[in-house]
């Protein structure tokens, strides 16, 4: 089955074609990062308009790269949520119109389910069941995954998502947008022990997270530094980045280890933009390997938003006979554990 995947939930237009027999045939991504950088964050209306401009040219490019015609497609999958309403509508409208024109099924995909399944695109994919740490700009969740659609939420952030905490901290340090990967890069040369960042909510039982206190800690640290030493120099900024990153990473590692122990699972999947973080990958592998748990993640470009994960996730559900009607679905808030399993047909 040849499936077209369309991702437009935020500031990345992603289009891909996945073949159930031969794997991923082609994928293209257009990032709006430069456009939003001027404003220091995503401007939803500008995002929707840019998706409109880019989606059809990207579709042509991806068809050409996969050496197929639109008529060869067997199904279409698009991100229906969670995400920005206007941005989601662009992908949904495009996918639904194409499905009507080509007379093939169309399907809504949950953005976080697609992130969670992205490591399945790799050569050595994880096997079900497993536990998953979903860490993106909007979500931080620990999930028990029985099968596709069989998700049980074990814990989540009570305030900021991990990626959001990275981005907000980067902003406080006047780093360029988008802050997360830039902060991570600077952290590589910093001293992670110079400042004693807290490890929030690790001293009590449970699998929930809270990252807003780390933000306040960083704000106070910068203010204090400004009062006594003036503006922080490059070395101090790198040390703050390293200390902050280590605190987030340690917190995530402690909760993953706790979740693995409680569930007895020997497989951990990490997914979402923050799973691209090298320090997080490294520390999880070192700590969890000692506990007999294998860690899986996608290649860098499939950790952050992309069309390939949508095509893959959509293909699994289309193969199982699921599809939408022609109503365009855009669901800005959509809990992951509300999804149906593969053997429930047309329940989306
Ligand atoms: O999954 P994603 O592309 O979009 C959402 O679904 O939110 O995740 C984006 C988030 C941003 O907050 C970004 O700063 C963060 O992932 N991110 C990183 C890294 N790369 C992306 N955070 C830490 N280290 C990185 N290397
Ligand atoms: Zn995402």
């Amino acid at each position: 089955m040849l499936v077209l995947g369309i991702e437009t939930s935020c500031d990345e237009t992603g289009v891909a074609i996945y073949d159930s027999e031969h794997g991923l045939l082609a994928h293209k991504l257009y990032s709006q990062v430069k456009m939003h950088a001027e404003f220091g964050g995503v401007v939803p209306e500008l995002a929707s308009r840019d998706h409109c401009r880019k989606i059809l040219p990207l579709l042509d490019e991806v068809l050409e790269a996969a050496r197929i015609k639109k008529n060869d497609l067997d199904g279409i999958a698009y991100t229906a949520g969670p995400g920005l309403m206007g941005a989601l509508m662009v992908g949904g409208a495009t996918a639904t119109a194409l499905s009507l024109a080509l007379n093939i099924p169309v399907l809504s995909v949950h953005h976080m389910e697609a992130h969670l399944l992205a490591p399945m695109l790799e050569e050595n994919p994880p096997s079900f069941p497993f536990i998953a740490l979903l860490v993106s700009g909007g979500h931080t969740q620990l999930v028990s995954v029985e099968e596709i659609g069989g998700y049980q939420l074990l814990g989540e952030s009570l305030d900021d998502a991990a990626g959001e905490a990275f981005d907000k901290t980067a902003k406080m340090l006047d780093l360029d947008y988008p802050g997360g990967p830039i902060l991570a890069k600077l952290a590589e040369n910093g001293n992670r022990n110079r400042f004693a960042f807290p490890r929030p909510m690790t001293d009590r039982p449970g699998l929930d997270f809270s990252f807003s206190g780390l933000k306040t800690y960083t704000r106070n640290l910068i203010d204090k530094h400004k009062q006594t030493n003036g503006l922080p120099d490059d070395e101090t900024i790198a040390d703050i980045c390293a200390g902050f990153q280590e605190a987030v990473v340690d917190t995530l590692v402690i909760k993953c280890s706790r979740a693995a122990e409680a569930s007895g699972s020997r497989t951990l999947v990490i997914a979402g933009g923050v799973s691209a973080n090298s320090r997080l990958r490294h520390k999880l592998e070192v700590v969890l390997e000692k506990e007999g748990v294998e860690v899986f993640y996608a290649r860098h470009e499939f950790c952050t938003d992309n069309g390939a994960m949508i095509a893959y996730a959509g293909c699994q559900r289309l193969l199982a006979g699921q599809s939408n009607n022609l109503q365009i679905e855009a669901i800005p808030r959509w809990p992951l554990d509300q999804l149906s399993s593969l053997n429930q047909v047309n329940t989306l």
Side-chain angles (χ1 to χ4, degrees), residues 265-339:
S265 177
R266 303 292 85 190
T267 308
L268 172 75
V269 165
I270 55 170
V274 183
S275 69
N277 186 280
S278 314
R279 184 73 187 153
L280 175 65
R281 290 171 171 216
H282 173 73
K283 222 163 177 183
L284 271 175
E285 279 174 333
V286 171
V287 173
L288 291 195
E289 195 181 305
K290 285 197 197 111
E291 297 167 4
V293 178
E294 202 178 348
V295 181
F296 292 83
Y297 42 77
R299 72 194 84 159
H300 265 73
E301 60 183 331
F302 294 162
C303 288
T304 43
D305 292 349
N306 65 87
M309 66 182 192
I310 306 301
Y312 176 83
C315 183
Q316 307 316 305
R317 288 187 175 275
L318 286 161
L319 279 174
Q322 298 186 352
S323 65
N324 292 6
N325 53 32
L326 289 178
Q327 182 178 323
I328 300 163
E329 304 260 7
I331 315 164
R333 289 179 183 277
W334 188 6
L336 186 66
D337 50 11
Q338 278 183 5
L339 291 181

Side-chain angles (χ1 to χ4, degrees), residues 55 58 70 124 129 134 162 176 200 231 236 240 283 285 311 346:
I55 196 160
L58 274 187
K70 282 194 195 87
N124 173 29
L134 303 180
D176 284 342
L231 284 176
T236 303
I240 295 175
K283 222 163 177 183
E285 279 174 333
N346 283 338

Side-chain angles (χ1 to χ4, degrees), residues 7 9-10 12 82 111-112 115 135-139 271-273 303-306 309:
E7 157 64 34
S9 67
C10 190
E12 244 108 40
H111 182 80
M112 297 312 292
H115 269 307
V135 267
S136 69
H139 293 80
C303 288
T304 43
D305 292 349
N306 65 87
M309 66 182 192

Side-chain angles (χ1 to χ4, degrees), residues 140 142 153-158 200-202 204-211 251 255 258:
T140 302
L142 263 167
L153 190 63
L154 302 174
E156 65 183 330
S157 178
L158 305 177
M201 290 182 72
T202 52
R204 62 183 104 156
L207 296 170
D208 285 334
F209 305 88
S210 167
F211 292 109
T251 306
K255 299 284 163 127
R258 209 177 268 178

Side-chain angles (χ1 to χ4, degrees), residues 100-235:
L100 182 65
L102 299 170
N103 196 24
I104 54 174
V106 63
L107 178 83
S108 296
V109 170
H110 190 292
H111 182 80
M112 297 312 292
E113 172 173 80
H115 269 307
L116 191 155
L117 297 176
M120 299 293 182
L121 290 161
E122 301 305 328
E123 237 169 62
N124 173 29
S127 327
F128 297 106
F130 52 76
I131 49 173
L133 172 71
L134 303 180
V135 267
S136 69
H139 293 80
T140 302
Q141 298 183 322
L142 263 167
V143 184
S144 167
V145 180
E146 198 54 39
E147 55 179 347
I148 293 180
Y151 308 123
Q152 192 200 337
L153 190 63
L154 302 174
E156 65 183 330
S157 178
L158 305 177
D159 39 60
D160 292 351
E164 193 180 357
F166 264 90
D167 296 337
K168 287 181 177 171
T169 303
K171 218 169 186 176
M172 281 182 219
L173 291 167
D174 287 329
L175 305 183
D176 284 342
Y177 172 86
I182 295 173
L183 189 156
K185 185 87 196 121
L186 291 176
E188 283 173 17
N189 300 316
N191 172 0
R192 49 182 94 100
N193 300 315
R194 176 165 159 202
F195 302 109
F197 280 83
R199 271 58 177 158
M201 290 182 72
T202 52
D203 56 353
R204 62 183 104 156
L207 296 170
D208 285 334
F209 305 88
S210 167
F211 292 109
S212 70
L214 273 180
K215 226 173 37 191
T216 313
Y217 181 89
T218 314
R219 160 70 52 223
N220 292 338
L221 191 69
I222 297 170
D223 286 349
K224 221 167 110 195
H225 195 278
K226 277 185 185 159
Q227 278 162 16
T228 47
N229 306 306
L231 284 176
D233 56 14
D234 288 352
E235 191 183 336

